[in-house]
Amino acid sequence: MIIDFQLLRYMLYGKLIQHIKRKALMKAPAYERLREVLINYRPARSLREVPFEDQTFTVFDLETTGFFPDLGHEIISIGAVQVQGNRILSDKTFYEVAKPMLKTPKKIIKLTKLDPNEIEDAPAFTEVMERFLAYSKDTILVAHPASFDIRFIQTMLKMYKLPPLSCYTLDSQIMARMFFKKRQCRLDSLISRFEVPQLDRHHALGDAKMTANVFVHLLDMAADRGIRDYASLQLPLSKIKKKIRTAQL
């Protein structure tokens, strides 16, 4: 029922408002710059064989106005930290707030603790995404779960008629399924298991930093099984994904 109401509200006026604002943003210089960045973002295939100890990962998190970009939900912040091998590069972080085209719901403001004035004064999604891609170029993207964050980004890019994001990704939630039961693979459960220092939840940078800590532990566990690079990780991950799909039938 809630989804039906959201859909009705979006179809009645939200979709039109976004269309008008998006059309204006597509005429801005940042839009063309982002298009060029996306075209040139394609990762080298050699990244697949780089040993984990030499590999650079960008562990990131999104805060959004909801779960469904198809219903007009938008990205309002991106936070990230880079990991090289099993070292978290705490001096290489990214955090920006993005101004949505529709008003941010009060429940999202309360959840993320973002300042409404900061959201209102923030740059548009196209500008923030351009800078995030510059920050993360030539790295493997990691999120928890990547299935949500990457899908959200791809849907927003499609709505802007931009090229899709071409990248190598790792889903740390799926990685965790290699070692733990499903209910133990939630971020909060893993934070507790690995005794990760608690930061602000539902803050993009705080969640990215905690995910990075979890991810480093998972990399060490994968290495103990003889998995040393992105390429060799794909077979065990594909088996887990197949098992998940079968369970959902």
Side-chain angles (χ1 to χ4, degrees), residues 85-86 175 179 215-225 228:
N86 62 355
M175 277 186 71
F179 314 105
F215 179 63
V216 166
H217 284 284
L218 296 174
L219 280 180
D220 288 341
M221 295 175 75
D224 289 341
R225 292 192 179 184
R228 303 292 181 180

Side-chain angles (χ1 to χ4, degrees), residues 238-249:
S238 66
K239 290 180 179 179
I240 292 170
K241 291 175 183 177
K242 183 178 180 180
K243 185 177 179 180
I244 291 172
R245 288 195 296 269
T246 301
Q248 291 173 341
L249 294 178

Side-chain angles (χ1 to χ4, degrees), residues 82-104:
Q82 292 192 342
V83 171
Q84 190 168 57
N86 62 355
R87 295 182 299 112
I88 297 172
L89 306 180
S90 56
D91 60 329
K92 291 191 175 182
T93 60
F94 177 94
Y95 178 72
E96 284 207 37
V97 175
K99 181 179 179 178
M101 290 176 282
L102 300 180
K103 186 176 179 180
T104 304

